[in-house]
Amino acid sequence: MTMPSKPKTRLAAKPKHFLSTLLFSWLDPIYRRVHSTSELDTNDLCELEEENKAEHEIARFERYWKEENFPCRQLSKKPKLYRAVWRSYRRGLLSSALYAVLESASRVAQAVLIGLVLTGLAEKPNGEDGGKVQFIYVPVLCLVTYVFVVTLHRGQFLGKLYGMRLRVALTGLVYKKVSNTIYFVCYVFAQKIFLIFKFFELLNNF
């Protein structure tokens, strides 16, 4: 008699702490489950967060677009799409820009530190100063490399995440406007057909 298998528990959707967010260690349970079962299905994956669902993102961006569009109509001005984008995604854009700056700074610092280490070792390879250079600059170089790797991956992750959110929001907004326009055109066309039908019906009564 086989024992019933335990129901699978969904994986956590959000990182537990800031370090887990930076190192992407919250994905480790997925890797361990794949390694143990060699397969995944939709029940294994974490539930999609509400803020990452298309319905929520479209409604959220549409609210900011209405806030931009309403006063512009009253002032007879043309609404600016970039203002709605900035209001909706300024936090993500600023975070991505901060990570990009840290990545560039750490990349430059790497080159400077490597140059200092090589210069010190080339001038006095066997002297006391050469050993001091190694003990001073090498740990700093390791730390800067770590910052570079973390900011690189985190910046790319945020850039793709908010880029995907923006694409979904804009696509949904355009789809709503097109569908509303098509509905309005069909409604007007149906009204005209109805009036024409009523007109011929009145002619037949005479």
Side-chain angles (χ1 to χ4, degrees):
M1 182 177 179
T2 58
M3 296 293 293
S5 58
K6 295 182 179 180
K8 294 181 178 180
T9 57
R10 284 186 176 270
L11 300 172
K14 285 187 176 181
K16 295 181 179 180
H17 46 77
F18 182 71
L19 188 60
S20 176
T21 302
L22 290 179
L23 300 179
F24 296 94
S25 59
W26 57 281
L27 293 173
D28 292 343
I30 298 179
Y31 302 144
R32 285 195 293 267
R33 183 164 293 182
V34 172
H35 180 71
S36 60
T37 61
S38 70
E39 60 181 8
L40 280 178
D41 54 31
T42 55
N43 295 324
D44 292 322
L45 302 178
C46 57
E47 294 183 1
L48 191 63
E49 299 175 9
E50 188 67 26
E51 61 182 5
N52 289 327
K53 292 183 179 180
E55 298 85 358
H56 176 271
E57 198 63 37
I58 293 172
R60 178 172 172 270
F61 184 76
E62 188 177 11
R63 183 176 72 252
Y64 284 103
W65 174 245
K66 288 181 179 178
E67 291 178 359
E68 170 65 21
N69 200 12
F70 181 73
C72 290
R73 285 187 175 182
Q74 291 183 334
L75 299 174
S76 299
K77 293 182 178 181
K78 189 175 181 180
K80 303 296 184 181
L81 182 62
Y82 71 87
R83 292 178 183 172
V85 172
W86 172 250
R87 291 174 183 174
S88 182
Y89 299 103
R90 59 178 177 269
R91 182 178 178 182
L93 294 174
L94 289 175
S95 299
S96 300
L98 176 61
Y99 281 111
V101 170
L102 291 176
E103 176 199 344
S104 300
S106 59
R107 190 190 297 268
V108 173
Q110 276 183 312
V112 173
L113 289 170
I114 291 175
L116 291 174
V117 172
L118 294 178
T119 301
L121 293 177
E123 291 178 353
K124 297 181 180 181
N126 299 321
E128 185 178 354
D129 293 338
K132 289 182 179 181
V133 167
Q134 289 180 345
F135 284 111
I136 294 175
Y137 292 118
V138 172
V140 179
L141 178 61
C142 294
L143 179 61
V144 170
T145 303
Y146 172 77
V147 172
F148 168 73
V149 172
V150 170
T151 54
L152 173 64
H153 289 281
R154 186 63 184 170
Q156 290 181 352
F157 173 75
L158 288 179
K160 292 178 181 179
L161 174 63
Y162 285 99
M164 183 171 57
R165 286 183 179 181
L166 179 59
R167 183 181 65 179
V168 169
L170 292 177
T171 303
L173 187 63
V174 171
Y175 175 78
K176 277 191 173 183
K177 294 184 75 69
V178 170
S179 61
N180 291 336
T181 303
I182 293 175
Y183 174 79
F184 177 75
V185 171
C186 293
Y187 177 78
V188 173
F189 181 75
Q191 289 290 332
K192 290 184 177 180
I193 295 297
F194 178 76
L195 292 175
I196 294 173
F197 177 77
K198 284 295 184 181
F199 176 74
F200 281 107
E201 186 178 0
L202 291 174
L203 289 179
N204 291 330
N205 291 333
F206 286 111

